[in-house]
PDB file of all heavy atoms in Angstrom:
ATOM      1  N   ALA X  21      12.077  11.694   2.470  1.00  0.00           N
ATOM      2  CA  ALA X  21      11.664  10.298   2.416  1.00  0.00           C
ATOM      3  C   ALA X  21      10.557  10.067   1.407  1.00  0.00           C
ATOM      4  O   ALA X  21      10.349   8.938   0.958  1.00  0.00           O
ATOM      5  CB  ALA X  21      11.203   9.834   3.806  1.00  0.00           C
ATOM      6  N   GLN X  22       9.834  11.123   1.033  1.00  0.00           N
ATOM      7  CA  GLN X  22       8.747  11.000   0.087  1.00  0.00           C
ATOM      8  C   GLN X  22       9.299  11.009  -1.341  1.00  0.00           C
ATOM      9  O   GLN X  22      10.019  11.936  -1.715  1.00  0.00           O
ATOM     10  CB  GLN X  22       7.757  12.156   0.261  1.00  0.00           C
ATOM     11  CG  GLN X  22       7.112  12.232   1.634  1.00  0.00           C
ATOM     12  CD  GLN X  22       6.122  11.116   1.862  1.00  0.00           C
ATOM     13  OE1 GLN X  22       5.327  10.781   0.999  1.00  0.00           O
ATOM     14  NE2 GLN X  22       6.185  10.508   3.029  1.00  0.00           N
ATOM     15  N   PRO X  23       8.988  10.022  -2.141  1.00  0.00           N
ATOM     16  CA  PRO X  23       9.500  10.012  -3.518  1.00  0.00           C
ATOM     17  C   PRO X  23       8.728  10.979  -4.395  1.00  0.00           C
ATOM     18  O   PRO X  23       7.628  11.404  -4.061  1.00  0.00           O
ATOM     19  CB  PRO X  23       9.255   8.565  -3.949  1.00  0.00           C
ATOM     20  CG  PRO X  23       8.013   8.183  -3.208  1.00  0.00           C
ATOM     21  CD  PRO X  23       8.116   8.873  -1.867  1.00  0.00           C
ATOM     22  N   ASP X  24       9.308  11.326  -5.522  1.00  0.00           N
ATOM     23  CA  ASP X  24       8.602  12.126  -6.516  1.00  0.00           C
ATOM     24  C   ASP X  24       7.578  11.227  -7.203  1.00  0.00           C
ATOM     25  O   ASP X  24       7.920  10.157  -7.733  1.00  0.00           O
ATOM     26  CB  ASP X  24       9.596  12.683  -7.536  1.00  0.00           C
ATOM     27  CG  ASP X  24       8.903  13.468  -8.629  1.00  0.00           C
ATOM     28  OD1 ASP X  24       8.471  14.594  -8.353  1.00  0.00           O
ATOM     29  OD2 ASP X  24       8.784  12.927  -9.740  1.00  0.00           O
ATOM     30  N   ALA X  25       6.318  11.647  -7.207  1.00  0.00           N
ATOM     31  CA  ALA X  25       5.239  10.790  -7.722  1.00  0.00           C
ATOM     32  C   ALA X  25       5.438  10.450  -9.195  1.00  0.00           C
ATOM     33  O   ALA X  25       5.241   9.310  -9.619  1.00  0.00           O
ATOM     34  CB  ALA X  25       3.891  11.472  -7.506  1.00  0.00           C
ATOM     35  N   THR X  26       5.846  11.429  -9.993  1.00  0.00           N
ATOM     36  CA  THR X  26       6.053  11.178 -11.422  1.00  0.00           C
ATOM     37  C   THR X  26       7.177  10.182 -11.645  1.00  0.00           C
ATOM     38  O   THR X  26       7.100   9.324 -12.540  1.00  0.00           O
ATOM     39  CB  THR X  26       6.362  12.491 -12.158  1.00  0.00           C
ATOM     40  OG1 THR X  26       5.261  13.387 -11.995  1.00  0.00           O
ATOM     41  CG2 THR X  26       6.606  12.249 -13.634  1.00  0.00           C
ATOM     42  N   GLU X  27       8.218  10.259 -10.805  1.00  0.00           N
ATOM     43  CA  GLU X  27       9.323   9.315 -10.941  1.00  0.00           C
ATOM     44  C   GLU X  27       8.890   7.895 -10.596  1.00  0.00           C
ATOM     45  O   GLU X  27       9.326   6.934 -11.241  1.00  0.00           O
ATOM     46  CB  GLU X  27      10.492   9.746 -10.042  1.00  0.00           C
ATOM     47  CG  GLU X  27      11.686   8.804 -10.052  1.00  0.00           C
ATOM     48  CD  GLU X  27      12.329   8.651 -11.431  1.00  0.00           C
ATOM     49  OE1 GLU X  27      12.103   9.510 -12.307  1.00  0.00           O
ATOM     50  OE2 GLU X  27      13.046   7.648 -11.625  1.00  0.00           O
ATOM     51  N   VAL X  28       8.014   7.751  -9.609  1.00  0.00           N
ATOM     52  CA  VAL X  28       7.495   6.423  -9.277  1.00  0.00           C
ATOM     53  C   VAL X  28       6.732   5.847 -10.467  1.00  0.00           C
ATOM     54  O   VAL X  28       6.915   4.678 -10.838  1.00  0.00           O
ATOM     55  CB  VAL X  28       6.578   6.479  -8.034  1.00  0.00           C
ATOM     56  CG1 VAL X  28       5.914   5.116  -7.784  1.00  0.00           C
ATOM     57  CG2 VAL X  28       7.385   6.878  -6.796  1.00  0.00           C
ATOM     58  N   VAL X  29       5.884   6.650 -11.083  1.00  0.00           N
ATOM     59  CA  VAL X  29       5.127   6.175 -12.241  1.00  0.00           C
ATOM     60  C   VAL X  29       6.071   5.843 -13.393  1.00  0.00           C
ATOM     61  O   VAL X  29       5.880   4.842 -14.099  1.00  0.00           O
ATOM     62  CB  VAL X  29       4.088   7.225 -12.681  1.00  0.00           C
ATOM     63  CG1 VAL X  29       3.339   6.754 -13.922  1.00  0.00           C
ATOM     64  CG2 VAL X  29       3.097   7.490 -11.550  1.00  0.00           C
ATOM     65  N   ARG X  30       7.102   6.655 -13.573  1.00  0.00           N
ATOM     66  CA  ARG X  30       8.069   6.389 -14.640  1.00  0.00           C
ATOM     67  C   ARG X  30       8.765   5.047 -14.420  1.00  0.00           C
ATOM     68  O   ARG X  30       8.980   4.277 -15.363  1.00  0.00           O
ATOM     69  CB  ARG X  30       9.114   7.511 -14.713  1.00  0.00           C
ATOM     70  CG  ARG X  30       9.997   7.457 -15.957  1.00  0.00           C
ATOM     71  CD  ARG X  30      11.047   8.556 -15.936  1.00  0.00           C
ATOM     72  NE  ARG X  30      12.088   8.248 -14.967  1.00  0.00           N
ATOM     73  CZ  ARG X  30      13.122   7.432 -15.218  1.00  0.00           C
ATOM     74  NH1 ARG X  30      13.233   6.857 -16.407  1.00  0.00           N
ATOM     75  NH2 ARG X  30      14.025   7.207 -14.296  1.00  0.00           N
ATOM     76  N   GLN X  31       9.086   4.747 -13.168  1.00  0.00           N
ATOM     77  CA  GLN X  31       9.729   3.467 -12.854  1.00  0.00           C
ATOM     78  C   GLN X  31       8.792   2.294 -13.108  1.00  0.00           C
ATOM     79  O   GLN X  31       9.216   1.235 -13.587  1.00  0.00           O
ATOM     80  CB  GLN X  31      10.218   3.459 -11.404  1.00  0.00           C
ATOM     81  CG  GLN X  31      11.384   4.380 -11.118  1.00  0.00           C
ATOM     82  CD  GLN X  31      12.646   3.988 -11.860  1.00  0.00           C
ATOM     83  OE1 GLN X  31      12.877   2.822 -12.147  1.00  0.00           O
ATOM     84  NE2 GLN X  31      13.467   4.979 -12.188  1.00  0.00           N
ATOM     85  N   THR X  32       7.504   2.466 -12.800  1.00  0.00           N
ATOM     86  CA  THR X  32       6.558   1.379 -13.078  1.00  0.00           C
ATOM     87  C   THR X  32       6.372   1.189 -14.584  1.00  0.00           C
ATOM     88  O   THR X  32       6.164   0.067 -15.052  1.00  0.00           O
ATOM     89  CB  THR X  32       5.181   1.630 -12.424  1.00  0.00           C
ATOM     90  OG1 THR X  32       4.563   2.778 -13.007  1.00  0.00           O
ATOM     91  CG2 THR X  32       5.311   1.820 -10.927  1.00  0.00           C
ATOM     92  N   ASP X  33       6.459   2.286 -15.355  1.00  0.00           N
ATOM     93  CA  ASP X  33       6.409   2.168 -16.816  1.00  0.00           C
ATOM     94  C   ASP X  33       7.558   1.301 -17.318  1.00  0.00           C
ATOM     95  O   ASP X  33       7.380   0.463 -18.215  1.00  0.00           O
ATOM     96  CB  ASP X  33       6.493   3.548 -17.468  1.00  0.00           C
ATOM     97  CG  ASP X  33       5.191   4.330 -17.410  1.00  0.00           C
ATOM     98  OD1 ASP X  33       4.126   3.709 -17.234  1.00  0.00           O
ATOM     99  OD2 ASP X  33       5.239   5.565 -17.544  1.00  0.00           O
ATOM    100  N   LEU X  34       8.746   1.494 -16.744  1.00  0.00           N
ATOM    101  CA  LEU X  34       9.906   0.709 -17.161  1.00  0.00           C
ATOM    102  C   LEU X  34       9.757  -0.752 -16.776  1.00  0.00           C
ATOM    103  O   LEU X  34      10.274  -1.643 -17.470  1.00  0.00           O
ATOM    104  CB  LEU X  34      11.180   1.287 -16.522  1.00  0.00           C
ATOM    105  CG  LEU X  34      11.602   2.680 -17.014  1.00  0.00           C
ATOM    106  CD1 LEU X  34      12.784   3.194 -16.209  1.00  0.00           C
ATOM    107  CD2 LEU X  34      11.944   2.641 -18.496  1.00  0.00           C
ATOM    108  N   VAL X  35       9.062  -1.025 -15.671  1.00  0.00           N
ATOM    109  CA  VAL X  35       8.802  -2.413 -15.278  1.00  0.00           C
ATOM    110  C   VAL X  35       7.833  -3.055 -16.265  1.00  0.00           C
ATOM    111  O   VAL X  35       8.015  -4.209 -16.682  1.00  0.00           O
ATOM    112  CB  VAL X  35       8.229  -2.480 -13.846  1.00  0.00           C
ATOM    113  CG1 VAL X  35       7.709  -3.880 -13.535  1.00  0.00           C
ATOM    114  CG2 VAL X  35       9.305  -2.085 -12.834  1.00  0.00           C
ATOM    115  N   ARG X  36       6.803  -2.333 -16.667  1.00  0.00           N
ATOM    116  CA  ARG X  36       5.784  -2.904 -17.551  1.00  0.00           C
ATOM    117  C   ARG X  36       6.257  -3.028 -18.991  1.00  0.00           C
ATOM    118  O   ARG X  36       5.903  -3.983 -19.688  1.00  0.00           O
ATOM    119  CB  ARG X  36       4.504  -2.051 -17.500  1.00  0.00           C
ATOM    120  CG  ARG X  36       3.753  -2.083 -16.184  1.00  0.00           C
ATOM    121  CD  ARG X  36       2.435  -1.326 -16.247  1.00  0.00           C
ATOM    122  NE  ARG X  36       2.602   0.064 -16.636  1.00  0.00           N
ATOM    123  CZ  ARG X  36       2.265   0.574 -17.809  1.00  0.00           C
ATOM    124  NH1 ARG X  36       1.736  -0.205 -18.741  1.00  0.00           N
ATOM    125  NH2 ARG X  36       2.443   1.865 -18.080  1.00  0.00           N
ATOM    126  N   ASN X  37       7.066  -2.054 -19.438  1.00  0.00           N
ATOM    127  CA  ASN X  37       7.354  -1.976 -20.867  1.00  0.00           C
ATOM    128  C   ASN X  37       8.843  -1.787 -21.155  1.00  0.00           C
ATOM    129  O   ASN X  37       9.443  -0.835 -20.656  1.00  0.00           O
ATOM    130  CB  ASN X  37       6.610  -0.781 -21.483  1.00  0.00           C
ATOM    131  CG  ASN X  37       5.138  -0.791 -21.178  1.00  0.00           C
ATOM    132  OD1 ASN X  37       4.493  -1.822 -21.293  1.00  0.00           O
ATOM    133  ND2 ASN X  37       4.603   0.358 -20.788  1.00  0.00           N
ATOM    134  N   PRO X  38       9.428  -2.664 -21.967  1.00  0.00           N
ATOM    135  CA  PRO X  38      10.800  -2.421 -22.434  1.00  0.00           C
ATOM    136  C   PRO X  38      10.837  -1.188 -23.334  1.00  0.00           C
ATOM    137  O   PRO X  38       9.836  -0.811 -23.936  1.00  0.00           O
ATOM    138  CB  PRO X  38      11.134  -3.689 -23.236  1.00  0.00           C
ATOM    139  CG  PRO X  38      10.093  -4.689 -22.867  1.00  0.00           C
ATOM    140  CD  PRO X  38       8.874  -3.919 -22.475  1.00  0.00           C
ATOM    141  N   LYS X  39      12.011  -0.566 -23.431  1.00  0.00           N
ATOM    142  CA  LYS X  39      12.148   0.591 -24.312  1.00  0.00           C
ATOM    143  C   LYS X  39      12.350   0.179 -25.763  1.00  0.00           C
ATOM    144  O   LYS X  39      11.988   0.920 -26.675  1.00  0.00           O
ATOM    145  CB  LYS X  39      13.318   1.464 -23.848  1.00  0.00           C
ATOM    146  CG  LYS X  39      13.004   2.298 -22.608  1.00  0.00           C
ATOM    147  CD  LYS X  39      14.081   3.330 -22.368  1.00  0.00           C
ATOM    148  CE  LYS X  39      13.680   4.315 -21.280  1.00  0.00           C
ATOM    149  NZ  LYS X  39      14.698   5.374 -21.073  1.00  0.00           N
ATOM    150  N   GLN X  40      12.942  -0.993 -25.976  1.00  0.00           N
ATOM    151  CA  GLN X  40      13.161  -1.464 -27.342  1.00  0.00           C
ATOM    152  C   GLN X  40      11.858  -1.989 -27.936  1.00  0.00           C
ATOM    153  O   GLN X  40      10.968  -2.429 -27.207  1.00  0.00           O
ATOM    154  CB  GLN X  40      14.204  -2.585 -27.345  1.00  0.00           C
ATOM    155  CG  GLN X  40      15.591  -2.152 -26.915  1.00  0.00           C
ATOM    156  CD  GLN X  40      16.531  -3.345 -26.826  1.00  0.00           C
ATOM    157  OE1 GLN X  40      17.096  -3.627 -25.773  1.00  0.00           O
ATOM    158  NE2 GLN X  40      16.698  -4.059 -27.937  1.00  0.00           N
ATOM    159  N   PRO X  41      11.722  -1.956 -29.257  1.00  0.00           N
ATOM    160  CA  PRO X  41      10.533  -2.537 -29.900  1.00  0.00           C
ATOM    161  C   PRO X  41      10.392  -4.004 -29.502  1.00  0.00           C
ATOM    162  O   PRO X  41      11.372  -4.756 -29.513  1.00  0.00           O
ATOM    163  CB  PRO X  41      10.819  -2.390 -31.395  1.00  0.00           C
ATOM    164  CG  PRO X  41      11.772  -1.241 -31.480  1.00  0.00           C
ATOM    165  CD  PRO X  41      12.625  -1.335 -30.251  1.00  0.00           C
ATOM    166  N   PHE X  42       9.167  -4.404 -29.132  1.00  0.00           N
ATOM    167  CA  PHE X  42       8.965  -5.768 -28.663  1.00  0.00           C
ATOM    168  C   PHE X  42       7.586  -6.260 -29.062  1.00  0.00           C
ATOM    169  O   PHE X  42       6.711  -5.485 -29.463  1.00  0.00           O
ATOM    170  CB  PHE X  42       9.130  -5.849 -27.143  1.00  0.00           C
ATOM    171  CG  PHE X  42       8.017  -5.198 -26.358  1.00  0.00           C
ATOM    172  CD1 PHE X  42       6.990  -5.959 -25.823  1.00  0.00           C
ATOM    173  CD2 PHE X  42       7.996  -3.824 -26.147  1.00  0.00           C
ATOM    174  CE1 PHE X  42       5.965  -5.371 -25.094  1.00  0.00           C
ATOM    175  CE2 PHE X  42       6.976  -3.223 -25.420  1.00  0.00           C
ATOM    176  CZ  PHE X  42       5.954  -4.002 -24.900  1.00  0.00           C
ATOM    177  N   SER X  43       7.417  -7.573 -28.933  1.00  0.00           N
ATOM    178  CA  SER X  43       6.110  -8.173 -29.192  1.00  0.00           C
ATOM    179  C   SER X  43       5.790  -9.167 -28.091  1.00  0.00           C
ATOM    180  O   SER X  43       6.678  -9.651 -27.379  1.00  0.00           O
ATOM    181  CB  SER X  43       6.090  -8.877 -30.555  1.00  0.00           C
ATOM    182  OG  SER X  43       6.960  -9.997 -30.559  1.00  0.00           O
TER     183      SER X  43
END
Side-chain angles (χ1 to χ4, degrees):
Q22 300 289 317
D24 177 74
T26 300
E27 178 61 19
V28 174
V29 178
R30 191 183 73 82
Q31 291 296 330
T32 65
D33 283 339
L34 293 174
V35 169
R36 292 185 303 107
N37 307 314
K39 284 191 171 183
Q40 295 175 239
F42 71 99
S43 66

